[in-house]
Amino acid sequence: MSNTIIATPGPARRADLLTPAELAALGGLEFVARKVVEGFLAGLHRSPHRGFSVEFAEHRAYQPGDDLRYVDWRKFGRSDRFYIKQYEEETNLRSYLFLDASASMAWSSQPETLPTKLWYAKQLAMCLSLLLLRQGDGVGLIAFDDAIRTQIPTRGGRRHWHDLLRATDSLEASGRTDAASAIQEVASRIRRRGLVVLLSDLLVDPEATRLSLQFLRHRGHEVLVFHIIDPGELELPGVSDARFIDPETGDEIPVSVADLRREYREAVDAALREWQQFFASRAIDYLVLRSDQPMVHALRAYLRKRERLG
Amino acid sequence: MSFLNPLLLALGVSVAVPLILHLLQRHQGPRLIFPALRYLRRAEKENARQIKLRQLLLMALRLAILILLVLAAARPFLRQSGSGHEPTAVAIILDNSLSSGLIQGEERVLDQLKARALETLSHARAEDRFWVIRAGSPWEPATMLDAAAAAELVRDTEVSAGRADLSAALTRARALLAAGAGERAAEIHLLTDLQANSFDRTAPPTPRGSRNPPVIVWGPSDPAPENVGITALSIDGGVAPRPGDKSTIAVRVSGASSRSEIPLRLILGDRTAAAATADPNATTLLQLTTPSSGIVAGHVELDPDALRGDDRRYFAARVQPPPAVSLAGSPAFLDDAIAVLADAGHVRLAGAEPADVVIAPGGLGLDGARGWTAAIVLAPTSPTELPATNRRLAEAGIPWRFAPPSGTGEARLELAGVDDEILAPLADARLREVYELRAEGGADGQVRLRLQDGRPWALQGELPDGGRYILVASPLSNDATTIPTSPALLPLVDRLTGAWAAARESANEAVPGSRWQLPAGATEVQRPDGTRDQVEGTGQYLVPGRPGVYQILAGDEVVDAFAVNPDPAESELARLDRRALRSTLQGWHPEWVDDPADWVDAIYHQRLGKEIWRPLILAALAVLLIEGLVAASGSTRGAGETGRGRGEAGSPREGMAVAASSGGAGATSGN
């Protein structure tokens, strides 16, 4: 009963502010992504972020079927006629979404209540792609594990979103992670500079990955990294002794948790700090996203990035 | 430092548990899928030394906890200089029963027991109090003494002929301590040779919950040696020795069956009056020529062995003329038997003088004035005489009646339990008429002879005025039984008129601790060592524990005598082992010490020095707390840091959005 209430975003609750657990209860990928983006855009009208990159161009007369959200009500008040605000596609930015679909992304510390990191990444990717497409940008998708598994070329247009949606929806997590190979392979084929968005848990070879991202920056791309972390990865579980198994490699480590709890936490902090320092030094935007947090943080980060890109 | 429960130190092997856990812990626990193994590896690599140190510290702490608990369980105490114990009341049970006279090694067991008692007393403090309970002399009162007086009493203790009941002694010691210990701590020191039959195994165990004082037992752990002793002696089967006649002394030698032809001597005064060889667990007869009057006294002895107390058995008997016997009627064969016995000097024919013993076939002869001391009533020769016979029994005050025979056919006597060799010919006797013997008003009697089907055939009883009666369930006629025409007649009549009819045993023998009824006019009792106790005639004399012949004097004249001998059970030297002792003394939790060197460490055991188990328990709890803190340090301290981390803007955790925006802004501006 309570789940139903939480999962139904009423008029007072924007979907972008819902937790992933609540979003997962709403429906499928398309529905959720649309709701999140709509909620996010609705929030923008009340926020100081007025300079949304989709700039107003002109008015035209209202025609049946037009979206009522674009009716200029002020003009209606003055002229007593309906006019629709039309926006100019300001840029033609090409965006590349790199989606980590390795086995580690399929993990959830609370499988019954908390969606996996892959679910979170897929939702976020679809929200971003919807925003980008609405702005008239081109969006491409590269899903990878230790190699590129799916690649959707960069195109614009609303219909392209459905291509992206189908490709993303069918993704299943498997295999090891080799982000560096995927990034370098794609980057070597991209001629036009654009925005590269990496959605990954960054349980990767850090040196190789940094090198590949540095290569992207060197080629003039803007890079935005969403580091998706399950909250269960920030702390060791509440057991005394256990054998921890890597889902990607099958490696096992016997650990006395009590002996290592504090040290593990420090190791996580140090790793995140290293990522942060590296990205800061390379002018790469970096955001740690806990998979139990609403997506509004990620979308705002994207928005800030997009604003800076003009 | 010493320990009250040193055996519990064996629990120290439990320290292996944390060691094993330490070795095994890395192979235990559930298997968990965990993607962030990279961070785990990093944490292990960067903190390997610290983790190892912490694990070693945890193991050391756990070992320390176990060691402290084991030490506490062993109840250590710090020995202080001198006798540094709290005021204590000690009941010393000194087993001076006959068996404690055993010489084992080169020392008498009693001397070993006394040495332990004196050690106890030498470590006493002025505030301590003692009761010395001589278990072999249980009739002696035990009073509360200081150490010096108790030591004197211990030194004066000698082997008693009495039998020890150590279970009763423990109960007595507990009662004494409960009544007199006051605020003092209580202890019982049981010093014994652990003779198995000294403990009453049928005594109910101490109920759970009742508080018994600590019992520290000292006893030899060596098995008891083989022993041979004289365990029984009787003169003429219980008949008083006759003046100038030859009496037979039956001596039973018990003990090691591996020995045979054991020399046996009869000693009268300083003279060896007779000698024989005896086999163990058999009866040997010695001949004694009795004086014409007075008291015959002496002893029978074996060659000494390790336990000398039972190598000699004393006797004292008053020489008495044979009883005057009258026979009612003239039953065939029976009058001939009486005549033969009279010729042999076993009986006198009463004639005109009052009869001591009346033989009354069918109750005839019981009529008239009562002058006899014993009456032998034979069953009537015909069932038609039963009413008259029973009427005569009733008139004589005998509470038994003859009833018609219940069975048919011949019966035989059961002699398996009859320890009287001269009655052996009765085994061949056939009984054709056997009347039932029925008690009136719950009367009781001693069955002298039974039929093989268990019914009584010859029964002996006492009258309220001291007279004795013997009922025989068959008439001694040729029609009723084969006895009159068999060799069994004379022995049977001899026993009927002699030992069975005698008012009391001819041999005067007293049990240590019993009270001997003194004859009128008695003034002194002379002990075997020549010392004399003043007494009053017609009073009672408390029989001491020293074995020997005690003479009762009226002035300078010996008017009576009795012998004091040990209980035959004291010759059985089998000892309890540790398990049997614990089982026998259920509820007492005895602590057994068998090494003299350990005695001083064991006594005053709850109070010798300061017990330190409480500080050890506290120390164990403190270490346990530290162990818990160290074990939980990872999670506890980590949780605290997580809490702090949430408030730190620069933390790479939840502050990422801030970091990203600032970092991103910087990067963008620079781009």
Side-chain angles (χ1 to χ4, degrees), chain B residues 197-269:
Chain B
N197 58 23
S198 296
F199 294 89
D200 182 5
R201 299 196 185 195
T202 62
T206 304
R208 289 179 183 276
S210 64
R211 295 183 59 188
N212 285 325
V215 178
I216 305 111
V217 181
W218 193 91
S221 57
D222 303 333
E226 288 188 340
N227 179 51
V228 173
I230 302 173
T231 53
L233 182 152
S234 71
I235 302 173
D236 283 339
V239 179
R242 290 171 290 277
D245 198 1
K246 284 197 178 297
S247 294
T248 301
I249 299 180
V251 179
R252 183 168 183 82
V253 176
S254 300
S257 56
S258 59
R259 296 179 58 184
S260 62
E261 296 190 351
I262 302 164
L264 203 61
R265 294 177 294 278
L266 169 64
I267 309 295
L268 295 176

Side-chain angles (χ1 to χ4, degrees), chain B residues 171 217 245 254 272 345 352 356 361 426 524 529 602 639 649:
Chain B
T171 305
V217 181
D245 198 1
S254 300
T272 301
D356 298 318
L426 282 173
E524 291 177 312
D529 60 359

Side-chain angles (χ1 to χ4, degrees), chain A residues 104 107 117 201-206 217 222 227 232-237 239 241-247 251-256 258-276 280 282-288 290 293 304-305 308, chain B residues 25-44 46-47 50-51 54-55 58 630-642 646 649-671:
Chain A
S104 65
W107 189 75
K117 293 180 283 185
D201 57 7
L202 290 184
L203 296 173
V204 294
D205 176 1
R217 289 292 297 144
E222 289 297 324
H227 187 169
E233 290 173 326
L234 297 172
E235 298 278 350
L236 285 178
V239 294
D241 295 311
R243 300 180 70 83
F244 289 88
I245 303 168
D246 188 330
D251 291 347
E252 289 189 16
I253 303 181
V255 171
S256 175
D259 289 339
L260 212 58
R261 188 178 297 281
R262 182 170 61 98
E263 288 73 12
Y264 174 81
R265 197 177 293 119
E266 290 172 353
V268 172
D269 284 348
L272 297 184
R273 198 176 299 112
E274 286 169 8
W275 282 116
Q276 182 188 11
R282 297 294 183 273
I284 294 173
D285 286 286
Y286 171 64
L287 181 66
V288 175
R290 284 171 48 142
Q293 287 181 328
R304 283 191 289 270
K305 181 75 175 176
R308 288 195 299 273
Chain B
Q25 66 175 355
R26 297 185 69 81
H27 305 287
Q28 293 177 338
R31 300 173 83 234
L32 300 176
I33 300 290
F34 193 69
L37 219 61
R38 181 180 301 277
Y39 303 140
L40 265 178
R41 282 205 180 92
R42 176 173 178 163
E44 276 203 327
E46 291 178 354
N47 299 278
Q50 185 181 350
I51 292 167
R54 181 190 294 164
Q55 288 177 341
L58 279 172
V630 173
S633 60
S635 56
T636 306
R637 283 179 292 170
E641 288 168 8
T642 302
R646 287 187 178 120
S651 166
R653 288 173 169 263
E654 293 197 29
M656 280 298 109
V658 178
S661 63
S662 61
T668 308
S669 63
N671 195 16

Side-chain angles (χ1 to χ4, degrees), chain B residues 70 106 318 342 354 424 435 439 441-442 502 522-523 608:
Chain B
V70 168
E106 295 185 352
R318 175 174 289 281
Y435 289 82
T523 56
L608 187 60

